[in-house]
Amino acid sequence: MDQNVENSPKTATAERRSLPTWVVVLAFAVLIAFLALIGVGLRRVQAGPIVIGQKVPDFSMISFDGQTYNLSDFEGKVVVLNFWASWCAPCSQEAAELEEAWRNYLPGDEVIFLGVDYTDTEPEALSYLAKFDITYPNGPDLRTRISQMFRITGVPETYFIDQEGKLAYVKKGPFASLAEIQAIVDGLLQ
Amino acid sequence: MHDKLNALPMKSVRYFALAVLLAAALLGAFSGRALAQDPQPPSDDQVNAVAKELYCPVCENIPLDVCPTQACAQWRELIRLKLSQGWSEDDIRSYFAEQYGDRVLAAPPLQGFNWVFYVLLGVFAIFAVVVYIRVVRNLKAKSTAADASAIASQPAEQDDYLKRMEEELNRREKSS
Amino acid sequence: MLANFGFGALIITFLVAFYGIGAAIYGGVKNSARWVESARLAMLLTFPLITLTAVSIIILLVTRQYQVQYVYNVTSDTMPLYLKITALWGGQAGSLIFWSWLMSAFATAVTLRRWDRDREFLPWVIVVSLITLAFFVGMSIFIENPFERFWMSASGREMVAMFQPAGATPLLPSDGRGLNPLLRHPGMVIHPPMLYLGFVSFVIPFAFAIAALITGRTDDRWIRITRRWTLVAWIFLSLGLVLGSRWAYDVLGWGGYWGWDPVEIAAFLPWLSGTAFLHSVMIQEKRGMFKRWNMVLVIVTYALVIFGTFLTRSGVLSSVHAFAQSAIGPLFFGFIGITFIVSLALLLHRWKDLTSAGQLNSMLSREALFLLNNLLFMLILLVCLWGLIFPIVSELFTGQKVTFGPPWYERITGPLFAALLLLMGVAPLSAWGHSTVKTLGRAMWKPAIVSVAVLAVALASGVRSVGALIGFWLVGFVIAITLYDYGRAIWARHKRSHEPLPVAFWNLVGRNRRRYGGYIIHLGIVLMALGIIGIEMFQTETQGTLKTGESLSLSGYTVTFRSLAEWNNPDGRNIARAVVDVSKDGRYLGQLAPRRDFYFDAQQSMTIPGVRSTMDDDLYLLLVDWEEFNSNQATLKLFHNPLINWLWVGSFVLILGMLVAAWPDQEPEAAVQRAVQKANGRATAD
């Protein structure tokens, strides 16, 4: 950026007292564009691209058994979006609780659980799912698109999306108990 | 000769040729794979050779072959699996990019938005070189002008004492 | 109690800094020496004040006051004393204080110099230094306060606050979480201070540059005052970078010394522009050229220092080195924005005053080659900077991150560095003003022949890679030329004044320390280049899982796995340590013990390599994996790193050269001043 400022005027004749306006404007424009870029980048890091109360953009996930799930399919339902990986020890602490919660809500058909498998390898992921007998839809995070959309900071992380498709609650780290999950979901169902 | 009338038969001939070629290629590939199929699983060195140019998002900026996390160990096992299935290094790399995004590659591939990076890098570099050339030209041009006129005014030098001191310092430095 | 005291000292520093800024501006504008003097004293006062703050933190750390959050976060009972002290810079909050401390030390040192003839710079140097200081101190007070403590509210809730909230009781954790294990290394004790010293000392040249722009005294004066500061800053920065690579080599277990990690690049950028400045400033001194460019370089260097600090501390970039995400981002961003915009505005405002004299008579003259050197440094800087920020750009526009790994940087910057090496050989022999192919050729043919001999040796010993051959030739070329240049000058002195050769050498270097110190620095860089060529082009590696008694071979070495032990150490580590026999070409050399330390308090493990070093090569062993509960099998990774130790040898030569170049000598200015004064006195007497 400073290269701009540096040289163009060097070629200008020395008699003129001030720099040509376009040089000054250009120099500042480049600097401000640069700062704006960094500023927006910083904002994303600080707040995350999706803040609570904001409508979550649509995304689709292809599950391990080949079915495609779109977020937009679940409008009117509470979506519990859980990021996990088979290599992540804390994830296995909450796996059983998540599955239990899913089974509790299944008859009511008001809540959908989606598991997004972050940077994982398929054989290990499948054996993880089998180990905890997980039945709600799970699929790999292809090209890490979904995790980058939420800008997750690690696994496990769980995002609760309300009936209107807005982000309602974010849980970083594993759930302590089944009650904790149910308290959040029940709060959204009311 | 390539009019619309005989386009159809031409096309079907082409398809046939294509099918034959494809079949041959597949056959070749399979026989090749059968030959390549080693009774021994791929060695750590073969795995690391592929992993060296991959980056797992869990340990950012550390090459996959030396990253100590469990996630990366699983990735390496996946590479081993693919190698044992006869995949080439390029296939594995593009598989990983497909699965986990371009960030796993050591440099962004030349496609889509990444062009911006390479084009702008080129533009910046050319700009720097152009500026350099212009500066050099100007200075060369100056040297053809008379020496006396080349001495620029020292704008802020009101102090005669200081000026003499500066001159003295300059002289000393040049002589050393 | 002590926490309150340290915090109080910090607040007073902040107020004093603000007073100093106000007084200096008023004094500068109104031309009042009394106000400026008052501002100077204020600046002088900041150092003892921050010292009190820093010492308070150190005492808190050493006396295990875990009710203080920072102490809890970075220390634990099992840590040795020296690590508890150095934990001062082991976390965000403490390292900000450390940063301010070093900065105020430099600011104080500047105020203590003799200002006689540069009075008009003084207020503005004070303003710039104190604004920077006030900003960092302000961040410590308002956002990253190292003195915040744990409290338990009446309702039993844990909280963190500086002062006791109503109804709350102090909370004292029984043990701390401990320092990040990566930082528990002797190298870490000095690496950050050196790097920080390098960073903060660039504030001084920047302050003078801004002062020159504000006052309009844009002649060579500010350069003359700050060039030694710049050299000192550059020395610390170089030392910081070298120590950092050594630390990475010893601790990170990559088998390498430099990973082109964003934080490494962020520290490398000001080094690039600073090095460019150290060269181009000579052209201004000798030929009066490039005043604008030098001004730009000083400003850019400082801008890169704070920009790099911002990137690594705000969490915008993620990296092994980055501090945990922090709230200082927005404030820091504001500071950067204002600094950049004000600097640019001032620069453009004075642009016309910064006309330089001088001309270029020959494309082979010293100044022309220096200009080329600057172009190369700028190109490298461009590649690194763009590679550093493009991931942010990409994520912004596509939502996808991208990676730039070492192979990419090496491919692009490799040829540029090679060109710089070539210039390093040619430039010292070219003359200021005029040089032609003929004069250069005459000066150069002897060392050139020597370097061709080096090339022949490399070819004969089986090197076939073109890149490596070019590299070795360049190394030979620069070393030959540097030694030749030395030899010629020493011989000339010896002939002229019949000094014995060692005396001639001593006097030669003593007479022109900057020049000959600079050449020693060149030698150091070339030796480092030798190490880098060795590891980059000839590194080999292998990995294997061995049972007891089995071996693995690499480049003539054979490593035989003997045993593995795993135990809990009383200092809070679980250690898994493999013992292997090493032999080369059938000859037994000894044992190595690579290990993996797992730190319970930080829940993090570290891979400590087993290394056998010679001047030819390193055998670098990593314990990758082992069977738990069964100690007769381990997975080992072997690296063979040829010539790597020349990198460290070169660093020592570099340090030596820097000491020679920057060693304070009696002010030449004082001598000149006396002479001029005498002449003046005569003139008035006439």
Side-chain angles (χ1 to χ4, degrees), chain C residues 70 114 290 354 601:
Chain C
Y70 183 73
R114 289 179 50 202
F290 304 128
L354 285 164
D601 49 11

Side-chain angles (χ1 to χ4, degrees), chain B residues 17-77:
Chain B
L18 208 74
V20 170
L21 270 174
L22 205 72
L26 274 175
L27 227 99
F30 270 106
S31 58
R33 185 174 296 181
L35 283 177
Q37 204 118 50
D38 226 275
Q40 288 199 328
S43 73
D44 288 351
D45 287 346
Q46 285 168 301
V47 172
N48 282 340
V50 183
K52 217 176 176 56
E53 297 232 337
L54 287 174
Y55 294 79
C56 125
V58 178
C59 31
E60 264 172 292
N61 309 306
I62 301 177
L64 181 59
D65 63 329
V66 283
C67 178
T69 63
Q70 178 63 28
C72 287
Q74 286 187 16
W75 281 34
R76 287 193 291 268
E77 282 318 304

Side-chain angles (χ1 to χ4, degrees), chain B residues 43-45 48-49 52-57 59-69 73 76 80 97 100-109 112-133 135-176, chain C residues 117-118 120 215-221 224 227 252-255 259-262 284-291 318-320 353-363 368 371-372 375 378-379 382-383 386-387 390 393-395 397-398 400-408 411-412 511-512 514-515 539 541-545 596 605 607 622 624 635-637 639 668-669 671-677 679-680 683:
Chain B
S43 73
D44 288 351
D45 287 346
N48 282 340
K52 217 176 176 56
E53 297 232 337
L54 287 174
Y55 294 79
C56 125
C59 31
E60 264 172 292
N61 309 306
I62 301 177
L64 181 59
D65 63 329
V66 283
C67 178
T69 63
R76 287 193 291 268
R80 198 188 303 274
Y100 307 111
D102 291 346
R103 62 191 293 191
V104 304
L105 301 173
F113 185 75
N114 296 335
W115 276 103
V116 172
F117 175 81
Y118 292 99
V119 168
L120 278 184
L121 184 63
V123 168
F124 292 151
I126 290 169
F127 182 80
V129 172
V130 165
V131 161
Y132 167 78
I133 291 171
V135 168
V136 169
R137 276 237 191 96
N138 265 17
L139 289 169
K140 290 276 278 185
K142 258 193 189 173
S143 80
T144 53
D147 256 15
S149 67
I151 297 164
S153 59
Q154 298 273 321
E157 217 153 25
Q158 328 87 333
D159 194 334
D160 181 51
Y161 165 82
L162 201 69
K163 201 163 137 194
R164 289 174 69 177
M165 196 172 122
E166 288 291 322
E167 279 165 5
E168 175 69 16
L169 272 170
N170 277 330
R171 195 162 55 243
R172 287 196 168 209
E173 239 158 40
K174 272 172 199 162
S175 63
S176 64
Chain C
R117 278 273 138 197
D118 314 308
E120 63 228 87
T215 56
R217 247 187 86 181
T218 49
D219 54 359
D220 290 350
R221 189 71 200 145
R224 213 180 282 292
R227 65 183 177 198
L252 290 186
W254 296 340
W260 294 98
D261 176 274
Q284 179 167 347
E285 284 171 19
K286 306 269 177 187
R287 310 278 296 169
M289 298 157 88
F290 304 128
K291 282 187 184 173
S318 37
S319 138
V320 270
D353 298 339
L354 285 164
T355 44
S356 3
Q359 61 222 17
L360 221 48
N361 295 324
S362 142
M363 287 309 292
L371 195 58
L372 196 57
L375 172 71
M378 286 304 111
L379 286 176
L382 204 69
V383 170
W386 189 222
F390 186 72
V393 180
S394 168
E395 204 190 348
F397 285 96
T398 66
Q400 288 276 310
K401 277 192 179 174
V402 290
T403 309
F404 291 96
W408 185 81
R411 264 197 301 278
I412 304 235
R511 262 309 174 77
N512 199 342
R514 254 191 346 144
R515 175 171 175 179
Q539 184 182 51
E541 59 175 85
T542 186
Q543 180 179 322
T545 303
R596 175 83 61 97
S605 65
T607 312
L622 295 174
V624 177
T635 305
L636 294 172
K637 183 161 190 170
F639 286 97
E669 295 179 17
V672 175
Q673 225 162 25
R674 274 196 300 277
V676 176
Q677 237 149 17
N680 260 5

